[in-house]
Amino acid sequence: MEDLKTHAIVKTHELALKGKNRPWFMRKLTSNLRTATKGSGVERVWQGQLMVGLTLSNEECWPEVKSRLKDVFGVAKFYKAYDLPRDLDGLKARLPQLLEGRSFNSFRITTNRADKRYTMTSEEVNRDLGAFVKDLTGATVSLKYPDISIYVDIQPKGFLVYFDEVKAHGGLPVGVSGKVAVMLSGGIDSPVAAWQMMKRGCQAMFVHFHSYPLVDRTSIEKAVELAQHLTRHQYESNLFLAPLAEIQKKIILSAPPSYRVVLYRRFMVRITEALARRNRAQAIITGESCGQVASQTLENIAVVDQCAGMPILRPLIGTNKEEIVDMATAMGTFPISIQPDQDCCTLFVPKHPETKADLDTVLRLEERLGVDELVRESVENTERRHYASPEAAALVH
Ligand code: ATP
Ligand code: MG
């Protein structure tokens, strides 16, 4: 359709749009869409009624724009749309060309009169165009299960006509829900937890603990790759690489093997919280799921939570491993997560760690360690790395 302007029409979930946050939600979505499509051939991003439009410089950009839009949270579905003059007969004259190559036995017309000054109602346009398409193609109208839906948006300056629906993840635009600190291991679960929180509108900062030089740098490399991968959903990320080796050495010398994991965990949480506060994050996120491993029992979760001064959220708590693997595969993080690594948590851990850690015992063990000083040292020695998705980088520089 060389002579017609092509757009992408983005729709959100209506429910998320209720209430006084709607203008802010739409502004954020619009600005995220602008960033996400930078350099993909989008000329203009504009806000319509309950939708955002992206005007393409030409139709060839569509595949790239489509793949970028799928990663933008807050986008429930989107369409490729054509811009026509506001003239129903003109639209009818164009329809054979627009419908070319599509075979269907049933259809439905869905008209939305965004501009209420238009003389015909949506229902009248539906009926009029419906009769025309029926004559043209011999297909029947099916409101419930049509082979194809034809959407007509009556805008002040013209008609937008679109067909194919592309489903995206929905959720909320990243940034509207504040910031969280994700404890990112090199494993399968925590990137999925991060993804889920970003989908609910949270900007994620990532914290990875490593025991270099007690182990090699493989877990760091995986965390870097995962953080970079996840950046496609939020355009800019900070990854904090926090050292745990000194703390682990101290724990090994003074605590019984069965308590090591729970002690590691409490230090990780304290350090994450300190980094979160410095960076204005309001909650800690982990990839834990109930009962998956010894450290993820309700008893141990309670002992870990006890040392935290901000909420620890565990979005995967009720999911099975298979479900998490499916999500990781769909997100594209699974191949990164299964690369072999040397993780700090597997260091000096007994075969049978304590599944019901006792808080008094933990507090007694920590008394000998000088917790505050160890936390402070790790925070001081944390390395920060910054990543931008290629499009965002183009925007910033
Ligand atoms: P994952 O696949 O996310 O590593 P897991 O099933 O292997 O999870 P654990 O290794 O016990 O479970 O870790 C539980 C959670 O603790 C992780 O999901 C992550 O949020 C956090 N965590 C574990 N190790 C690290 C690490 N080295 N750095 C940062 N966070 C970590
Ligand atoms: Mg792990």
Side-chain angles (χ1 to χ4, degrees):
M1 254 53 72
E2 276 142 34
D3 57 329
L4 294 182
K5 232 5 184 175
T6 312
H7 307 265
I9 298 299
V10 164
K11 305 250 170 155
T12 58
H13 282 138
E14 304 261 331
L15 270 184
L17 289 174
K18 298 266 188 288
K20 61 180 183 335
N21 287 330
R22 186 165 121 189
W24 150 241
F25 175 111
M26 291 305 283
R27 271 204 309 279
K28 192 72 195 166
L29 180 63
T30 306
S31 96
N32 286 357
L33 285 166
R34 203 167 276 137
T35 309
T37 55
K38 193 85 192 161
S40 68
V42 168
E43 268 176 4
R44 204 165 70 82
V45 183
W46 43 277
Q47 221 174 296
Q49 247 197 5
L50 290 183
M51 58 108 133
V52 181
L54 298 95
T55 306
L56 275 55
S57 55
N58 59 64
E59 202 167 345
E60 276 74 66
C61 312
W62 172 249
E64 178 63 22
V65 172
K66 181 175 166 181
S67 101
R68 303 257 188 114
L69 292 184
K70 281 185 183 165
D71 286 333
V72 180
F73 293 130
V75 176
K77 51 195 176 181
F78 60 96
Y79 311 82
K80 181 162 77 173
Y82 300 100
D83 203 346
L84 278 80
R86 231 167 80 146
D87 157 25
L88 203 54
D89 288 331
L91 165 59
K92 287 177 187 166
R94 275 286 186 168
L95 265 180
Q97 189 190 1
L98 292 172
L99 291 171
E100 210 175 83
R102 301 168 190 274
S103 76
F104 55 93
N105 294 320
S106 60
F107 69 98
R108 105 172 241 163
I109 313 264
T110 307
T111 304
N112 168 37
R113 197 168 52 141
D115 179 9
K116 300 287 181 230
R117 290 168 310 176
Y118 191 72
T119 47
M120 289 167 81
T121 65
S122 310
E123 211 29 62
E124 285 165 350
V125 176
N126 284 346
R127 267 203 297 275
D128 191 81
L129 266 186
F132 177 80
V133 173
K134 213 166 147 182
D135 284 348
L136 181 75
T137 62
T140 55
V141 173
S142 164
L143 295 185
K144 268 205 172 140
Y145 304 108
D147 290 342
I148 161 174
S149 285
I150 303 172
Y151 300 88
V152 180
D153 247 342
I154 303 169
Q155 297 282 328
K157 287 192 190 143
F159 289 152
L160 281 173
V161 181
Y162 44 100
F163 304 92
D164 311 290
E165 181 176 300
V166 185
K167 286 239 185 300
H169 298 292
L172 301 170
V174 168
V176 297
S177 304
K179 199 183 207 183
V180 293
V182 177
M183 291 171 59
L184 186 72
S185 69
I188 297 169
D189 306 338
S190 44
V192 176
W195 189 92
Q196 300 241 358
M197 296 309 293
M198 290 192 280
K199 190 178 66 164
R200 297 308 303 160
C202 295
Q203 171 88 31
M205 57 175 263
F206 303 109
V207 183
H208 176 71
F209 292 91
H210 64 84
S211 308
Y212 184 79
L214 297 183
V215 296
D216 64 22
R217 297 179 66 87
T218 46
S219 83
I220 298 180
E221 286 155 14
K222 283 170 71 179
V224 165
E225 243 188 284
L226 290 167
Q228 283 175 323
H229 185 93
L230 291 165
T231 301
R232 73 185 56 196
H233 300 289
Q234 60 177 11
Y235 323 117
E236 286 194 69
S237 303
N238 283 317
L239 168 65
F240 296 85
L241 299 169
L244 205 65
E246 289 309 312
I247 293 174
Q248 289 182 294
K249 282 194 216 159
K250 284 251 165 62
I251 291 174
I252 289 152
L253 288 177
S254 69
S258 64
Y259 268 74
R260 285 175 188 167
V261 176
V262 112
L263 289 168
Y264 295 169
R265 275 293 137 75
R266 282 169 59 95
F267 274 98
M268 286 185 180
V269 161
R270 290 187 180 103
I271 295 161
T272 304
E273 180 177 339
L275 293 167
R277 288 195 189 284
R278 286 186 178 194
N279 293 279
R280 293 184 301 281
Q282 294 165 286
I284 295 169
I285 311 300
T286 80
E288 288 162 304
S289 124
C290 184
Q292 196 190 81
V293 289
S295 59
Q296 299 175 18
T297 60
L298 294 183
E299 289 84 354
N300 286 358
I301 285 175
V303 167
V304 171
D305 276 6
Q306 186 273 342
C307 75
M310 63 171 61
I312 303 180
L313 305 179
R314 300 172 171 89
L316 305 180
I317 197 72
T319 51
N320 304 332
K321 194 72 188 187
E322 295 72 29
E323 293 168 320
I324 302 174
V325 165
D326 286 349
M327 287 190 266
T329 307
M331 286 163 50
T333 50
F334 187 69
I336 308 171
S337 295
I338 56 170
Q339 290 166 30
D341 69 356
Q342 297 188 334
D343 183 69
C344 64
C345 275
T346 51
L347 211 56
F348 318 118
V349 171
K351 272 222 166 60
H352 301 288
E354 183 57 62
T355 55
K356 292 183 165 59
D358 168 61
L359 183 59
D360 289 337
T361 309
V362 167
L363 293 175
R364 204 160 21 80
L365 290 168
E366 282 180 349
E367 261 170 35
R368 307 180 206 155
L369 290 169
V371 170
D372 292 350
E373 182 57 19
L374 286 173
V375 169
R376 202 187 55 76
E377 262 173 32
S378 177
V379 170
E380 292 305 310
N381 292 313
T382 291
E383 180 193 342
R384 184 179 76 103
R385 299 206 188 160
H386 179 260
Y387 302 104
S389 63
E391 311 81 52
L395 195 75
V396 172
H397 301 298

